[in-house]
């Protein structure tokens, strides 16, 4: 009886190890390790290998910043205390820092293996880009008003809690839809968006429509 139990336990361990090895080689692995400390920096520079992507070519000439290098101060003042800038960048695992003043780059530095050629995910910076594009769409008459409901332009969300939310409220992060952005909670809404998109190949709109 003991021998059978040991054989069974050994079999489960082998299957478990095989499962982990398979998972590490599969596209699902990134979904479970996207924000893991040991993988986060590299993942954020390789989003084109993690998510389905589509290149958007530039159109016309590209505007370039002037360059006017200047040294950054070694310290900054916050909450009544003098603090070390490099210590802050290390503590926050900052991968890139660029300072622009009056149309010129005055400081540019990279950390944890990155350089000026590295791709970076923009995360919430994309919200500002989307907001600007919405403004252009309104100006061109493609969107009648920012007070129009989202469902009028995104059919996949028409019957969801987002359906009647005005575009403007979504742009200001005040849709009223409950959304748990707890990155430390494995089954939070934000983590399920990524896991479902990467592991299950489920469209993000479909995940959001369930909220």
């Amino acid at each position: 009886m003991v021998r059978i139990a040991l054989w069974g336990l050994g079999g489960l361990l082998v299957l478990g190890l095989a499962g982990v090895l398979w998972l590490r080689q599969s596209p699902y692995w990134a979904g479970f390790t996207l924000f893991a400390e040991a993988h986060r920096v590299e993942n954020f520079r390789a989003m084109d290998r993690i998510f389905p992507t589509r290149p958007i070519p530039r159109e016309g000439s590209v505007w370039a910043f002037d360059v006017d290098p200047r040294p950054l101060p070694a310290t900054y003042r916050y909450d009544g205390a003098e603090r070390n800038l490099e210590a802050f960048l290390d503590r926050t695992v900052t991968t890139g820092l660029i300072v622009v003043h009056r149309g010129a780059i005055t400081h540019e530095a990279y950390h944890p293996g990155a350089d000026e050629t590295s791709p970076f995910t923009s995360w919430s910076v994309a919200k500002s880009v989307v907001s600007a594009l919405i403004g252009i769409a309104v100006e061109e008459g493609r969107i009648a008003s920012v007070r129009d409901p989202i469902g009028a332009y995104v059919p996949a969300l028409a019957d969801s809690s987002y359906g009647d939310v005005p575009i403007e409220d979504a742009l200001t992060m005040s849709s009223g839809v409950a959304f748990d952005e707890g990155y430390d909670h494995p089954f939070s809404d934000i983590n399920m968006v990524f896991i479902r998109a990467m592991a299950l190949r489920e469209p993000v709109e479909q995940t959001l429509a369930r909220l």
Side-chain angles (χ1 to χ4, degrees):
M1 211 48 195
V2 173
R3 182 178 296 178
I4 294 174
L6 289 174
W7 274 106
L9 181 59
L12 288 174
L13 289 173
V14 169
L15 287 174
L17 179 60
V20 169
L21 291 174
W22 174 84
L23 185 62
R24 287 183 67 91
Q25 301 301 317
S26 76
Y28 307 144
W29 182 249
F32 294 101
T33 63
L34 186 63
F35 296 103
E37 190 170 344
H39 302 273
R40 186 171 58 235
V41 170
E42 181 55 34
N43 283 342
F44 287 7
R45 291 201 296 260
M47 301 303 270
D48 58 323
R49 299 199 303 267
I50 296 173
F51 286 102
T53 59
R54 182 174 59 198
I56 302 175
R58 69 171 183 249
E59 182 177 331
S61 59
V62 176
W63 184 81
F65 285 102
D66 292 330
V67 179
D68 182 19
R70 303 182 192 181
L72 284 183
T75 62
Y76 63 98
R77 192 163 187 80
Y78 176 74
D79 200 20
E82 201 75 15
R83 302 170 188 267
N84 183 274
L85 178 60
E86 283 299 324
F88 169 78
L89 297 177
D90 288 341
R91 187 174 71 253
T92 55
V93 197
T94 298
T95 51
L97 175 65
I98 186 168
V99 180
V100 178
H101 180 65
R102 295 182 177 177
I105 296 174
T106 60
H107 181 83
E108 187 173 4
Y110 300 92
H111 303 273
D115 60 32
E116 66 274 8
T117 67
S118 301
F120 290 92
T121 181
S122 69
W123 290 121
S124 290
V125 174
K127 296 173 192 171
S128 297
V129 177
V130 169
S131 181
L133 292 173
I134 292 291
I136 293 170
V138 170
E139 185 177 353
E140 293 181 349
R142 298 173 187 275
I143 292 177
S145 167
V146 292
R147 296 309 299 171
D148 283 354
I150 291 174
Y153 299 92
V154 186
L157 297 177
D159 295 326
S160 74
S161 294
Y162 283 101
D164 294 327
V165 174
I167 296 170
E168 183 179 21
D169 291 350
L171 290 175
T172 56
M173 303 294 289
S174 51
S175 68
V177 177
F179 189 88
D180 176 7
E181 199 174 357
Y183 294 94
D184 293 333
H185 307 144
F187 299 106
S188 66
D189 292 321
I190 187 65
N191 283 326
M192 291 310 297
V193 166
F194 292 125
I195 290 172
R196 286 183 176 278
M198 289 181 284
L200 304 180
R201 298 295 178 182
E202 180 177 285
V204 172
E205 300 97 317
Q206 191 171 320
T207 304
L208 296 178
R210 293 197 185 94
L211 299 175

